[in-house]
Amino acid sequence: MTAQHTPGPWTVEPEPDGWSVTTNVYFLATVYFGHEGPKDTEASANARLIAAAPDLLAALQNVVRCIEAEGCNHVAIEGAHAVIAKAEASA
């Protein structure tokens, strides 16, 4: 199946009232924080997780291919760990 989403990489940029998720061409989303929304740290974590979505999908697809082929190599596993770290990284 071919991806129907905007290709990555997606990045997170600070905004006065939250965090924006963008590509080098498109604005994708804003994760707001404030009085009625999540705290700054939670909003930042949410934005990073959204931005990591294309990479998370690709890493998961690689791991599934490895498992199906019963030949999962360290490159696929390291790639998955790298994407998890990207999603969890501090802004």
Side-chain angles (χ1 to χ4, degrees):
M1 174 181 266
T2 303
Q4 299 290 318
H5 60 78
T6 302
W10 295 1
T11 59
V12 175
E13 301 293 333
E15 296 290 334
D17 55 352
W19 299 89
S20 64
V21 180
T22 63
T23 69
N24 61 348
V25 177
Y26 299 109
F27 168 82
L28 299 170
T30 298
V31 178
Y32 293 102
F33 58 82
H35 196 48
E36 297 296 323
K39 297 177 192 161
D40 183 26
T41 54
E42 184 180 349
S44 172
N46 291 342
R48 288 191 315 274
L49 185 58
I50 292 166
D55 295 328
L56 289 166
L57 175 60
L60 183 58
Q61 289 168 331
N62 285 336
V63 170
V64 168
R65 277 193 290 274
C66 287
I67 292 169
E68 290 175 344
E70 294 184 40
C72 198
N73 58 41
H74 70 283
V75 174
I77 300 299
E78 288 173 3
H81 282 291
V83 175
I84 291 167
K86 178 181 178 181
E88 293 177 342
S90 297

